Structures are given as structure tokens and as C-alpha cells.
Amino acid sequence: MDGGAIDPEPAGEPVAHMYVGTLSFDLLLGDVHSLKEKRSVVRPIVAELQRKYAVSAAEVEHMDLHRRAVVGLALVSGDAGHLSDVLDRCERLVAGRPEVELLSVRRRFHGDDD
């Protein structure tokens, strides 16, 4: 015996995998002239991402600029394919919003090997 160490993968039991995906969207907002107007554009995007895709999402950068925003989101899944599909859908949703211009998207994917 090795002093009570627990076998991380008992024989015969399936191994559970966890994948984490993140996206960050750098946005240029259209006809916005104040931080209040900015919130009225960004909040509905964040809320729709959360509601439709059950992701964690928030405005994460450029809080003091009224025409720029960075929205970040994260999702955890046991299925890498599902995770990739949801991230693709989130990206299409944001890219299709006419009130913002999507300047860039940064995607990160973390698996068990990270």
C-alpha cells in the first residue's frame, strides 16, 4: 500500500472529462454617445447570450469608453463537441447584431490535458 493514495481512475469506471471554453468579443458600438446608451446596447447582448446558451457572460473591458466594449463568456461541458458548437453559436449571435461591429474574437479551449 502507498500510504492511502486514491487511484484517480479505478479500473472499469468511465473517466469523466471536463472542458472549458471562453470567448472574448471586442466590439465597436454604433451611434452611442454616453455610457448609459452603451449599457442599453451591451446589456441585452449579454442577457441574450446567458438566456439562449446558458453561458456565463459579462462586459469585461473598456468600461469607461462609450463606443467600445469587450464582452467575455465562459462555458463548461463534459463534451468537447457540444462546447465547440455552443461557442460557434455565441459567436454568430454577436456577429449578427447590427448595432455593433465585431472587431475581433478570441477563443480559448481548455481540456483535461491543460
Side-chain angles (χ1 to χ4, degrees):
M1 191 156 239
D2 58 5
I6 298 173
D7 185 1
E9 297 178 15
E13 291 188 27
V15 177
H17 295 283
M18 180 177 76
Y19 304 96
V20 179
T22 63
L23 290 174
S24 61
F25 303 103
D26 189 359
L27 306 174
L28 178 64
L29 286 72
D31 190 27
V32 172
H33 304 286
S34 69
L35 293 176
K36 185 176 180 180
E37 288 179 12
K38 174 187 180 175
R39 284 192 304 274
S40 72
V41 172
V42 173
R43 282 185 180 172
I45 294 171
V46 169
E48 186 174 6
L49 287 165
Q50 293 169 331
R51 186 182 72 254
K52 284 182 101 170
Y53 302 112
V55 297
S56 295
E59 182 181 359
V60 295
E61 286 184 43
H62 302 313
M63 309 293 214
D64 56 340
L65 301 176
H66 67 273
R67 291 207 57 223
R68 291 287 299 275
V70 174
V71 173
L73 67 81
L75 177 65
V76 177
S77 178
D79 180 338
H82 171 73
L83 181 67
S84 183
D85 181 52
V86 173
L87 294 179
D88 289 344
R89 290 172 189 232
C90 290
E91 187 172 341
R92 283 193 300 273
L93 182 144
V94 174
R97 297 297 289 248
E99 67 274 26
V100 298
E101 180 181 342
L102 183 56
L103 299 176
S104 68
V105 179
R106 182 173 184 183
R107 181 183 292 229
R108 287 191 169 172
F109 190 90
H110 307 277
D112 289 335
D113 297 333
D114 294 341

